[in-house]
């Protein structure tokens, strides 16, 4: 929650006299817990708890990477109060489509046998992959998605393929969806021009 994008939005919202809520999921940032114990369902529970207890009225939900998945899930769970979703390099279903499907047979066996796999400095657990399958949204769940969705995607993103944004858009069952590509943007999208593009999307709904 102390990252560049969250801090930027906090300052901009304060200046615009808008309420703003940010938090770290369990096992992330300032929150307690071990990341290895985390699952998509647990982090979704965290998001729902924060939303239900600390916000009121209509809300715009912004999520980056995994947060984009959780933002879409939260909008499905709270359709009456969420008026727009903004995804930044959104990565719904990443446990299945960006991790599991890209693992070699050897790494899959390691994950199955040892319960976790460390690759490129990241730790993936068997629990994360298996529990994530309960929350997949790109296989029909988003057909019932009701609120407007805006997706901001860098064309030089090496974590989430740019065409993933098209797949998300195609999965949503209504037409109020727009994808904005940033030519030289990476996965973080935290440069000054990236943040300006993000604020434009927020401003559309404010």
């Amino acid at each position: 929650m102390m990252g560049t994008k969250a801090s930027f939005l906090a300052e901009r919202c304060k200046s615009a006299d808008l309420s703003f809520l940010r938090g770290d999921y369990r096992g992330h940032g300032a929150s307690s817990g071990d990341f290895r114990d985390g699952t998509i369902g647990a982090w979704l529970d965290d998001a729902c708890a924060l939303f239900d207890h600390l916000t009121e009225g209509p809300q715009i939900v912004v999520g980056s990477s995994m947060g984009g998945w959780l933002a879409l899930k939260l909008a499905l769970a709270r359709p009456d109060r969420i008026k727009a979703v903004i995804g930044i390099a959104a990565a719904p279903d990443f446990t299945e489509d960006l991790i599991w499907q890209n693992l070699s047979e050897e790494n899959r066996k390691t994950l199955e046998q040892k319960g976790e796999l460390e690759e490129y400095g990241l730790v993936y657990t068997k629990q994360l992959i298996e529990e994530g399958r309960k929350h997949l949204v790109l296989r029909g769940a988003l057909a019932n998605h009701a609120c407007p969705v805006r997706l901001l995607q860098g064309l030089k993103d090496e974590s989430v393929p740019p065409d993933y944004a098209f797949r998300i858009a195609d999965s949503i069952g209504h037409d109020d969806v727009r994808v904005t590509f940033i030519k030289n943007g990476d996965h973080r999208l935290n440069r000054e021009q990236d943040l300006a593009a993000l604020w434009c999307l927020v401003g559309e709904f404010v």
Side-chain angles (χ1 to χ4, degrees):
M1 66 180 177
M2 299 306 295
T4 302
K5 294 184 288 292
S7 297
F8 167 81
L9 287 176
E11 286 299 317
R12 281 299 182 95
C13 286
K14 182 178 179 181
S15 297
D17 197 25
L18 296 169
S19 62
F20 181 78
L21 174 68
R22 53 180 163 164
D24 286 328
Y25 305 111
R26 69 187 79 174
H28 289 74
S31 291
S32 61
D34 187 337
F35 175 80
R36 282 178 167 84
D37 297 328
T39 62
I40 299 302
W43 294 323
L44 178 61
D45 288 344
D46 292 343
C48 288
L50 288 169
F51 186 83
D52 291 343
H53 294 288
L54 297 174
T55 72
E56 58 184 29
Q59 299 292 318
I60 301 166
V61 179
V62 183
S64 177
S65 196
M66 181 184 79
W69 185 359
L70 296 174
L72 291 167
K73 289 285 292 186
L74 185 59
L76 288 170
R78 304 291 186 270
D80 295 338
R81 292 190 52 217
I82 295 179
K83 303 305 179 182
V85 169
I86 298 173
I88 308 164
D93 299 10
F94 79 90
T95 53
E96 191 70 16
D97 297 337
L98 300 180
I99 298 179
W100 178 255
Q101 291 187 12
N102 290 323
L103 290 179
S104 65
E105 281 301 317
E106 181 181 356
N107 281 339
R108 287 185 181 185
K109 288 179 181 178
T110 299
L111 189 61
E112 290 283 355
Q113 294 169 0
K114 294 185 177 181
E116 66 178 48
L117 172 71
E118 185 168 352
E119 192 174 45
Y120 308 118
L122 299 173
V123 176
Y124 308 127
T125 66
K126 180 180 179 181
Q127 176 183 239
L128 176 67
I129 302 297
E130 292 183 343
E131 199 275 345
R133 291 177 179 140
K134 300 177 183 178
H135 302 282
L136 302 178
V137 295
L138 298 181
R139 292 153 172 81
L142 292 181
N144 298 318
H145 204 279
C147 70
V149 176
R150 301 292 181 263
L151 302 171
L152 196 61
Q153 176 68 49
L155 289 179
K156 291 190 175 181
D157 190 332
E158 295 183 355
S159 298
V160 178
D163 61 1
Y164 211 72
F166 286 128
R167 186 178 171 200
I168 299 169
D170 287 341
S171 299
I172 295 170
H174 61 76
D175 293 333
D176 197 355
V177 182
R178 189 167 72 241
V179 179
T180 300
F181 287 111
I182 297 182
K183 184 175 181 179
N184 294 312
D186 61 12
H187 185 62
R188 295 182 180 276
L189 289 178
N190 59 7
R191 302 170 303 169
E192 184 176 346
Q193 60 266 44
D194 305 331
L195 298 175
L198 171 59
W199 186 246
C200 282
L201 297 181
V202 174
E204 176 183 344
F205 298 107
V206 170

